Amino acid sequence: MFPIDFCHIPVSIIKRSAGRSAVAAAAYRSGTKLTNEWDGMTHDYTRKGGIVHAEIMLPAHAPPEFADRSILWNSVEQIEKARDSQLAREIEAALPRELSGEQQLALVRCLCEGQLCRQRNVRRLCHP
């Protein structure tokens, strides 16, 4: 085994007060087209390149329909009513180049299934 640098992991909060939308962020990260039912805006990132992998990881207690990106993030937008709602957290990690794409994906899944999913939150994985 060789040493691997893994230190760039910024976390940001997607807040309505900052003009952000969980639906827009999900469309951007996954390279898809989603319509935000809360404000009626359509976010189309289908021409965005570089998305190698996108998936949603649900905790065991989550409704299975939340596996649909549109249903999941529109549900978040609908349940949070306040102007200053914190809709989601975005965790961006610089993955080690020393690992193959398959190993990088396994590492991210391991992190999500371990520490992050202990908080019983839904995780979306998007790997550019």
Side-chain angles (χ1 to χ4, degrees):
M1 198 71 171
F2 45 89
I4 296 176
D5 291 330
F6 189 67
C7 60
H8 178 73
I9 307 178
V11 178
S12 62
I13 299 174
I14 297 171
K15 302 183 272 189
R16 262 201 204 122
S17 63
R20 297 197 61 202
S21 154
V23 173
Y28 179 77
R29 291 289 178 206
S30 63
T32 58
K33 179 179 179 180
L34 298 175
T35 299
N36 187 338
E37 296 167 3
W38 187 76
D39 62 11
M41 292 186 66
T42 297
H43 306 278
D44 186 356
Y45 294 100
T46 53
R47 294 185 180 164
K48 177 184 181 243
I51 305 297
V52 175
H53 181 84
E55 81 178 74
I56 294 173
M57 296 177 70
L58 297 174
H61 69 281
E65 59 269 18
F66 282 179
D68 179 288
R69 188 170 279 106
S70 180
I71 292 172
L72 171 65
W73 295 110
N74 273 297
S75 295
V76 169
E77 295 278 357
Q78 294 296 329
I79 200 75
E80 295 293 342
K81 307 283 188 211
R83 305 181 285 170
D84 61 348
S85 294
Q86 294 185 1
L87 303 168
R89 284 184 174 70
E90 198 166 54
I91 302 169
E92 183 179 317
L95 300 174
R97 292 182 192 185
E98 297 88 353
L99 300 179
S100 69
E102 189 175 294
Q103 290 171 320
Q104 289 176 341
L105 183 56
L107 174 62
V108 173
R109 282 183 176 147
C110 183
L111 289 170
C112 288
E113 290 170 354
Q115 289 296 329
L116 299 178
C117 285
R118 285 186 193 159
Q119 298 173 9
R120 299 175 48 136
N121 293 326
V122 174
R123 300 289 174 223
R124 72 168 184 252
L125 304 179
C126 297
H127 179 32

